[in-house]
Amino acid sequence: MTAVETQITYTNSYTIQHEDAYMTQEEDWDRDLLLDPAWEKQQRKTFTAWCNSHLRKAGTQIENIEEDFRNGLKLMLLLEVISGERLPKPDKGKMRFHKIANVNKALDFICSKGVKLVSIGAEETSAKEGLLLWCQRKTAPYRNVNVQNFHISWKDGLALCALIHRHRPDLIDYSKLRKDDPIGNLNTAFEVAEKYLDIPKMLDAEDIVNTPKPDEKAIMTYVSCFYHAFAGAEQAETAANRICKVLAVNQENEKLMEEYEKLASELLEWIRRTIPWLENRVAEQTMRAMQQKLEDFRDYRRVHKPPRVQEKCQLEINFNTLQTKLRLSNRPAFMPSEGKMVSDIANAWKGLEQVEKGYEEWLLTEIRRLERLDHLAEKFKQKCAMHEAWTTGKEDLLSQKDYESASLMEIRALMRKHEAFESDLAAHQDRVEQIAAIAQELNELDYHDAATVNTRCQGICDQWDNLGTLTQKRRDSLERVEKLWETIDQLYLEFAKRAAPFNNWMDGAMEDLQDMFIVHSIEEIQSLITAHDQFKATLPEADKERMATLGIHNEILKIAQTYGIKLSGINPYTNLSSQDISTKWDTVSQHFVPLRDQMLQEEVARQQANERLRRQFAAQVRDGGAWVTSEISHVSVDIAGSLEEQMNSLKQYEQNIINYKSNIDKLEGDHQLIQESLIFDNKHTNYTMEHIRVGWEQLLTTIARTINEVENQILTRDAKGISQEQLNEFRASFNHFDRKRNGMMDPDDFRACLISMGYDLGEVEFARIMTLVDPNNTGVVTFQAFIDFMTRETAETDTAEQVMASFKILASDKNYITVEELRRELPPEQAEYCITRMTRYVGPDCPSGALDYISFSSALYGESDL
């Protein structure tokens, strides 16, 4: 029964009862009460006041309820005020039949509303029970109030005061009321209701208190006025709550948008700063500087990049969560600022990884190059020093004019000595060529001090050319006078000829034994050891040559002793003495050979240690690679159980992955030891540290995205009222048509999936649906897009029209709303949110500062296909 029907029933019941002498009163009423004149007076007063509370809206009232309704005119007017409808035009005559006609028009209108004019029907009983239940709910929290009926429960006045306080706590201080002051409580309620709530005083406090059982209909009529007075307030409260809820969603979404923009800007700025650093492939000039570059890159991969990987993943998660919330609240999709789309960030990240790719390999290549350069530079310096030491004084010697004043024997000695020097000079040709070759290689490898190398090399070559010129010039000079000399000391000459090449051989041996070497494997050092063993195998034969050369010297001494020749102790054909040969031989065989043995054995030990590092790292990286590969295969959105159970499992799984980071860090430490040992290859494993790093990051990103997917499903389920069974059904359907098992459906598979779920699809309709699930035209349908579409099909959401209707209630049915109304009806934060965003209302007869809530409501939802 409507409120209008209830009021009509009350009015009509009283009128008919008095005209028929109360012959149709309810059977359960106390008959003594009916015969009590005070009760009749109370009834008359109550219903007169009730009628006047409505009639005064039409600018009139009644004095006597029994007389003023007889002509039917005010009765018809009362019904129009109550119903809000127009009744037939009343007869204007004053004759009795005119009055009867008007009363009949009023009675016909009442009957047209389905109201029975006698007894108390089921509709009235229902209205009574509904009003009683409303009173019980509103007064339940108040002490000393227990509403069970419409008579005794109201005698102490506390129930009426509680109703007022519940809706307008500013009008009554309930804490100061006393149960033993019923008259005071009732009068307080009556006065406040009349003054502030526009409810006329229909009852007397003394009549209610002094009556064993107050009149039920009178109290019910009076209480119904409170119901209707507060109904508008409750409607406004409901409207305000709906608006606050919608605004809260918008404020939360805007906060997420701001956070996304901030995080996206920071991540893009970091990428922008990092890419030039990785693109800079200008090599440093020293090994130390390049090793520092490698250490900086390791810090970047271990320390600086992982948080950014998580930020990128979190950014995608935040974006997906935001879009889900926007879809669930029927808001337009979020469009980030230009250049900050997820795809823009993905492209920027792809660019980062492209320049990052190969950077470490370039660093290692450069380190190897510098290692080779340093080795060659040291070798160049060593050979240059030895050659320069050999050439010291040679130019001065070749420039001497000693042959001009020499004797025949001395000339011939000088000639033989020069021949020995030429032989020695030829032997040094190979060393000069080696120096030049090393200098050329240093230039080709872009050695940082190439200018110094070239200058020194050029000086040696120029000096060598000058030695050749001087040698030829001296030979020419000696040959010109050679015919003047005939005697030659064959033994000295033979010694000189044998001693010179043997001396050269020892010089070469010492140079080779002191030669620096660089190796990176057991095989390479074994090759050097083999070569060294082969050299040692030649020592016995060389010793024979040494003994033969010394034998010549001994023969010279024997001849000199035999024939009494006094020797000067100087071989005219060479500066080499037997002592020189013996000393050099001892140096080669007793010093450099053992030293070389020791160096090779130390290198063997180092390479064996490196090999152990390789095998150890191979075993560790193999375990890590197997773990990452295995774990990646386990990550799946198809996890059994409810969404909450799935979330718990995924969170535990994520924690396991995070905990595994300590293993990655340990592996990084072992990897650093290997690189510090200049080990750059490992034949024992196909896994690299990069495999483990990227695999772990991929695993962490995948599980985070899976968790986000489940979170979005929970959001969707809770916001849309989708049951777990429905979500399971959607998941099963999606998985069935996810042919590639990659979390996406092709358009044809999506069409088949929809058909399996009962959709009758034409081309136009399917094209429309595809624009919803694939707005970026990627050619695939993700599970989140699929679940958003299905929930959109099966659930309801708030709409802009509902928000407009709520604002209209707060605005008292106006098409605009004022700042004062917003601040009165909404919490401060929500009120200011609306005031700062609503545009000025343009229309006739609107006050200054009126705001347009209609366009504002539309803007909250916008145009969105999602």
Side-chain angles (χ1 to χ4, degrees), residues 794-814:
T794 57
E796 296 182 356
T797 59
D798 288 335
T799 64
E801 290 73 18
Q802 291 173 325
V803 177
M804 291 179 197
S806 298
F807 273 117
K808 192 166 188 178
I809 292 172
L810 301 186
S812 301
D813 286 338
K814 302 189 298 294

Side-chain angles (χ1 to χ4, degrees), residues 37-263:
W39 174 83
E40 183 178 350
K41 179 182 177 181
Q42 179 66 57
Q43 286 269 303
R44 186 183 297 111
K45 179 180 179 181
T46 299
F47 287 103
T48 298
W50 180 84
C51 292
N52 284 334
S53 71
H54 293 288
L55 286 172
R56 66 185 175 187
K57 298 175 183 176
T60 186
Q61 64 179 13
I62 60 173
E63 298 294 336
N64 188 326
I65 193 171
E66 296 174 341
E67 296 295 332
D68 293 349
F69 280 152
R70 285 187 180 277
N71 63 6
L73 292 176
K74 288 190 176 180
L75 180 59
M76 292 178 68
L77 183 60
L78 176 63
L79 292 174
E80 286 185 345
V81 173
I82 293 173
S83 67
E85 300 181 23
R86 297 289 296 179
L87 270 68
K89 188 175 181 180
D91 291 357
K92 296 296 185 179
K94 297 183 179 180
M95 302 297 292
R96 186 173 183 275
F97 71 88
H98 290 134
K99 298 177 181 179
I100 293 174
N102 289 336
V103 171
N104 285 334
K105 289 177 182 179
L107 297 178
D108 290 341
F109 178 78
I110 293 172
C111 291
S112 71
K113 296 302 179 182
V115 179
K116 296 180 181 181
L117 299 180
V118 294
S119 187
I120 299 178
E123 296 87 350
E124 188 175 354
T125 301
S126 176
K128 173 183 175 182
E129 291 176 353
L131 183 62
L132 183 64
L133 180 60
W134 179 80
C135 293
Q136 290 171 339
R137 288 203 313 268
K138 294 299 181 181
T139 62
Y142 291 85
R143 59 181 174 81
N144 297 326
V145 177
N146 184 16
V147 177
Q148 298 297 324
N149 49 56
F150 283 109
H151 39 80
I152 296 176
S153 297
W154 304 82
K155 288 188 65 173
D156 58 12
L158 290 177
L160 282 173
C161 290
L163 276 181
I164 296 173
H165 185 269
R166 179 65 181 270
H167 295 90
R168 291 290 303 275
D170 57 311
L171 299 180
I172 291 180
D173 186 352
Y174 188 84
S175 65
K176 294 183 178 180
L177 301 179
R178 303 195 320 273
K179 188 173 179 64
D180 59 0
D181 184 20
I183 298 293
N185 297 338
L186 287 168
N187 284 328
T188 296
F190 295 157
E191 292 169 5
V192 169
E194 188 168 33
K195 183 176 181 180
Y196 296 103
L197 304 179
D198 200 25
I199 298 175
K201 184 178 179 182
M202 302 178 184
L203 305 170
D204 287 324
E206 291 78 4
D207 293 342
I208 295 175
V209 173
N210 297 328
T211 302
K213 180 181 178 184
D215 181 57
E216 186 176 47
K217 281 194 174 292
I219 291 180
M220 187 165 62
T221 301
Y222 186 62
V223 171
S224 69
C225 293
F226 286 88
Y227 173 83
H228 295 294
F230 293 135
E234 290 193 355
Q235 187 180 25
E237 181 181 355
T238 301
N241 288 339
R242 175 184 289 276
I243 291 171
C244 287
K245 180 180 177 182
V246 170
L247 295 181
V249 170
N250 266 64
Q251 289 172 306
E252 181 182 359
N253 290 341
E254 288 176 2
K255 181 180 179 182
L256 290 175
M257 293 175 190
E258 292 173 0
E259 291 176 353
Y260 174 89
E261 291 281 342
K262 180 176 180 294
L263 189 57

Side-chain angles (χ1 to χ4, degrees), residues 517 519 525 598-608:
F517 57 83
V519 295
I525 190 61
Q598 179 183 351
M599 291 174 62
L600 290 175
Q601 290 306 314
E602 289 175 353
E603 185 61 30
V604 167
R606 191 174 76 87
Q607 290 302 325
Q608 287 173 342

